[in-house]
């Protein structure tokens, strides 16, 4: 999917601010982010997110950097931690129909606050195969989720959809880049106006780990 301007089915009301990590990451305009995966052999993997001017906005460190499986850290452009992303473990999780990831924001004096929960259905349960995300606190009371992933992340052809069916972010690769690249180490994310970009990148970091890409050991 080519990175492009979001269509009319997009959540593009600039008066609406959807902050999960912080409202300082909510731009009043639609934004184009560039994701570049880092090589494991040199920098321990993970990826860097820049704007169109190549200014670093976010950095994601995975197992190859922090040395712990099932854990990913999202940092801002200066390296300060914004989100700790952890895969839930334990016997109860083994028996559950979903694999669960939780995103925690850093609070005053090092305390953590749950920001969202992502549920990845296990392949042996095909009746429920969409990845769902619930924010904390919840954004709606009609459904048991606030966002879902549509499309296939490994192909870099997917979207984050809210509970009303509007696109809040699209992940893709520009056609001209597809012709030049043999791998997908560089791709784009179009984020709607008012949407928390740190939250979107946090979701991408979890998807990267689920599909065994740059953040794994």
């Amino acid at each position: 999917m080519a990175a492009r301007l979001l269509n009319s089915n997009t959540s593009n009301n600039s008066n609406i601010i959807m902050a999960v990590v912080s409202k300082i990451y909510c731009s009043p305009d639609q934004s184009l982010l560039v994701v570049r995966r880092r090589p494991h052999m040199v920098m321990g993997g993970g990826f860097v997110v820049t704007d169109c001017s190549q200014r670093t906005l976010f950095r994601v460190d995975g197992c190859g950097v922090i040395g712990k499986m099932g854990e990913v850290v999202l940092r801002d452009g200066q390296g300060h931690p914004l989100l700790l992303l952890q895969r839930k473990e334990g016997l109860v999780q083994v028996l559950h129909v979903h694999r669960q990831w939780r995103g925690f924001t850093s609070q005053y004096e090092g305390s953590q606050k749950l920001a969202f929960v992502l549920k990845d259905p296990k392949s042996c349960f095909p009746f429920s195969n969409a990845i769902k995300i619930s924010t904390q606190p919840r954004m709606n009371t009609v459904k048991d989720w606030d966002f879902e992933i549509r499309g296939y992340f490994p192909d870099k052809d997917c979207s984050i959809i809210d509970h009303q069916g509007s696109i809040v972010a699209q992940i893709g690769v520009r056609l001209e880049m597809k012709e030049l690249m043999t791998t997908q180490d560089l791709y784009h994310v179009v984020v709607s106006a008012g949407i928390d970009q740190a939250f979107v990148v946090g979701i991408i970091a979890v998807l990267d780990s689920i599909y065994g890409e740059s953040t794994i050991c």
Side-chain angles (χ1 to χ4, degrees):
M1 178 184 69
R4 60 186 183 276
L5 295 180
L6 297 172
N7 56 34
S8 59
N9 195 36
T10 300
S11 177
N12 58 2
N13 188 338
S14 60
N15 294 322
I16 297 176
I17 300 297
M18 194 283 296
V20 176
V21 177
S22 173
K23 64 182 180 181
I24 67 173
Y25 301 111
C26 301
S27 171
D29 303 308
Q30 179 178 273
S31 303
L32 177 63
L33 309 181
V34 180
V35 180
R36 184 183 298 274
R37 300 196 299 195
R38 299 182 305 204
H40 280 87
M41 295 297 293
V42 180
M43 305 184 69
F47 57 86
V48 174
V49 181
T50 64
D51 59 16
C52 293
S53 301
Q54 298 186 350
R55 178 172 62 97
T56 299
L57 303 177
F58 305 102
R59 190 179 80 216
V60 173
D61 295 332
C63 180
V65 176
I66 60 181
K68 188 174 182 180
M69 294 183 64
E71 190 166 297
V72 180
V73 176
L74 169 66
R75 305 180 187 275
D76 64 15
Q78 288 70 49
H80 303 123
L82 299 177
L83 275 174
L84 173 63
L85 306 160
Q86 292 181 321
R87 184 178 61 211
K88 191 173 182 180
E89 306 288 356
L91 179 60
V92 174
Q93 187 64 23
V94 171
L95 299 175
H96 205 275
V97 297
H98 296 92
R99 299 180 183 90
Q100 189 177 116
W101 283 77
R102 295 177 294 179
F104 298 91
T105 56
S106 298
Q107 300 295 301
Y108 180 68
E109 293 185 344
S111 62
Q112 296 177 342
K113 179 182 178 182
L114 182 63
F116 67 86
V117 175
L118 181 147
K119 294 182 178 180
D120 173 31
K122 297 177 181 177
S123 58
C124 55
F125 296 97
F127 55 84
S128 179
N129 58 5
I131 295 176
K132 310 283 189 181
I133 303 107
S134 300
T135 57
Q136 302 294 326
R138 294 294 313 284
M139 292 185 175
N140 83 96
T141 57
V142 178
K143 298 181 179 179
D144 61 355
W145 53 272
D146 298 300
F147 301 93
E148 69 173 353
I149 307 300
R150 293 184 186 173
Y152 191 51
F153 178 75
D155 289 341
K156 302 303 173 285
D157 186 7
C158 65
S159 301
I160 302 175
I161 311 293
D162 69 14
H163 66 279
Q164 296 179 323
S166 298
I167 299 172
V168 300
Q170 284 182 315
I171 300 165
V173 180
R174 286 185 171 178
L175 292 177
E176 59 268 28
M177 295 304 299
K178 279 187 176 181
E179 297 173 355
L180 296 174
M181 297 172 59
T182 57
T183 63
Q184 292 180 337
D185 289 336
L186 184 71
Y187 57 95
H188 297 80
V189 184
V190 184
V191 183
S192 297
I195 302 301
D196 191 330
Q197 296 175 15
F199 168 65
V200 169
V201 176
I203 295 300
I204 292 172
V206 174
L207 294 175
D208 184 283
S209 292
I210 288 173
Y211 290 103
E213 296 194 357
S214 65
T215 53
I216 64 168
C217 291

